[in-house]
Structure formats: structure tokens, C-alpha cells
């Protein structure tokens, strides 16, 4: 899909041709929709950014690109990527293998994005040295995350205590990007999403930005947008207000 500009003279329009990362095999990674461009600007200007919206809008991919860019520019020393290991119809204990094998399927979208942006040998080196760390949310407890871009993906599946724990890990010269889709919550119906709660509490807090993606930002197959819209009609009002 081609780059979309949101109007001449705006920061988003000025950034529409900016290459965030020179990826593998000549891939040029750019913000391709107005809200992706707003996310890029928000990460420049804020230390904590929430990116909320449906599948296929490039929230996670853009966030990872910003993290890789900051690492390559030596603005940070580490990238830390995390997701809650909440099952969408499967139980973690029934997956085969050891804990690494059980966790990896949840983290695969983060690996996929990194593999587009960093040559394989270099990515392996970064991961072996701990320059890039990918871990379940539970592994963040007790840590202070300084000199790092920290991304929490699929944050709609955190509980309120979990996301509070994560957000309070932010250290000096750190940035956090929290992504999620409030229409794809896999928590029990009686449990409120930590992402929804955090956005309500923090959206007017100095240093925090909230970028709300819509179906118009979907950059996968055009049919994905129509599928998202068809399912959205039946969702409870509190889940569709974003």
C-alpha cells in the first residue's frame, strides 16, 4: 500500500517520506498512514505512548521500527519487547516443549518485525548479548528499564495489576510504547483490561500520548479491513469506543 499523507504542512505530511529503518534486502521501512506518522511523532515527543486499534494497522511494526531506529542511532542501549502470555483459545500448558518453546509462539510477531529490520547474524548477536530482549510480561517484575525502548504488545490482555507493574518499570532515558486492540480481549468477561484502565487513567498525563488507530489504517489485505468492520458491529459499546 502506498504512503498516505494527511495534508500539506503538517508534521505527519513532512514525515511521510522519512525512512525509519533501512531493513534487510533494501527494504525501506516508513510510516505509511497518518496515524502511523502520528505514532512516530508521539514517540519522538513523549516517553510513554499508547497505540490502540484493530489488527493490521501496523501499530506493533511501527513501534518496533522506532525502537530499532533508536538503537541504531545510539539513543538507547537496549530494546525490550514483551507480551502477556494469555491464551486465545489454547492453554499454554498443553503446548509441546520447554518454557522457551511454549512462550515463543506468543512472541513470534515481534521476531517477524525484527527480522525485517536487522540482518539475521546481527539480530542473533544482539539477542545473545541482551541488547535485544524478548520476554513474557511476567519477566519484567522487579526490573528498572533504563536506556531502552520498551514495547508491550497485545496489552489488552493484561490485568490492571500487570500493566501497572509494567508501566512503573520505566527508567532513566527510557521510552515505553504500549500497543493493543480493545476489540480482541482474551481475558475472562468479568476482568477489565489493564490497557483500557491505563488509558482512562493516563491519557491526560504529562509525558503520555495516546494514538487511536482505526480501520482506515489497516495496511494488510483490503479484505482485512472489511472483516474487522463486520465483526465490530456486534461488539459491546465499551469495547468499540476506541
Amino acid at each position: 500500500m502506498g504512503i498516505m499523507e494527511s495534508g500539506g504542512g503538517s508534521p505527519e505530511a513532512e514525515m511521510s517520506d522519512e525512512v525509519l529503518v533501512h531493513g534487510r534486502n533494501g527494504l525501506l521501512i516508513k510510516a505509511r498512514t497518518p496515524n502511523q506518522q502520528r505514532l512516530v511523532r508521539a514517540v519522538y515527543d513523549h516517553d510513554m505512548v499508547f497505540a490502540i486499534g484493530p489488527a493490521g494497522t501496523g501499530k506493533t511494526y511501527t513501534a518496533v521500527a522506532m525502537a530499532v531506529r533508536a538503537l541504531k542511532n545510539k539513543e538507547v542501549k537496549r530494546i525490550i519487547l514483551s507480551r502477556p502470555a494469555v491464551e486465545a483459545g489454547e492453554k499454554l500448558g498443553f503446548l509441546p516443549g520447554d518454557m522457551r518453546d511454549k512462550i515463543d509462539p506468543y512472541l513470534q510477531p515481534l521476531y517477524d518485525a525484527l527480522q525485517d529490520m536487522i540482518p539475521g547474524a546481527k539480530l542473533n548477536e544482539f539477542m545473545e548479548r541482551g541488547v535485544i530482549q524478548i520476554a513474557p510480561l511476567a519477566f519484567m517484575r522487579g526490573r528498572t528499564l533504563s536506556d531502552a525502548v520498551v514495547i508491550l504488545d497485545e496489552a489488552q490482555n493484561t490485568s490492571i495489576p500487570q500493566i501497572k507493574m509494567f508501566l512503573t518499570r520505566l527508567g532513566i532515558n527510557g521510552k515505553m510504547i504500549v500497543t493493543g486492540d480493545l476489540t480482541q480481549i482474551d481475558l475472562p468477561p468479568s476482568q477489565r483490561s489493564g490497557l483500557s484502565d491505563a488509558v482512562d487513567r493516563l491519557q491526560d498525563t504529562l509525558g503520555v500520548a495516546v494514538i487511536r488507530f482505526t480501520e482506515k489504517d489497516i495496511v494488510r489485505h483490503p479484505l482485512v479491513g472489511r472483516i474487522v468492520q463486520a465483526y465490530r458491529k456486534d461488539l459491546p459499546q465499551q469495547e468499540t469506543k476506541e
Side-chain angles (χ1 to χ4, degrees), residues 18-92:
E18 181 180 4
V19 176
L20 301 178
V21 178
H22 292 267
R24 300 177 62 185
N25 301 318
L27 180 65
L28 301 180
I29 296 167
K30 305 178 182 181
R32 295 187 177 274
T33 73
N35 276 324
Q36 287 181 13
Q37 292 156 16
R38 292 184 185 108
L39 176 55
V40 169
R41 176 58 62 192
V43 174
Y44 281 137
D45 294 341
H46 300 79
D47 288 338
M48 185 175 292
V49 179
F50 293 87
I52 304 169
T57 52
K59 305 180 303 294
T60 299
Y61 198 85
T62 304
V64 173
M66 291 300 291
V68 171
R69 178 189 177 96
L71 182 67
K72 288 186 173 183
N73 290 345
K74 303 188 185 304
E75 297 164 10
V76 297
K77 296 178 181 177
R78 296 180 295 168
I79 297 173
I80 300 170
L81 309 173
S82 187
R83 288 179 123 200
V86 173
E87 302 89 344
E90 288 187 86
K91 295 297 184 183
L92 195 61

Side-chain angles (χ1 to χ4, degrees), residues 96-123:
D98 59 19
M99 183 54 67
R100 173 69 183 269
D101 294 328
K102 292 174 187 289
I103 292 299
D104 271 358
Y106 291 94
L107 305 176
Q108 190 60 48
L110 302 174
Y111 289 118
D112 291 345
L114 287 170
Q115 287 167 354
D116 275 356
M117 302 175 197
I118 302 174
K122 191 67 174 178
L123 178 57

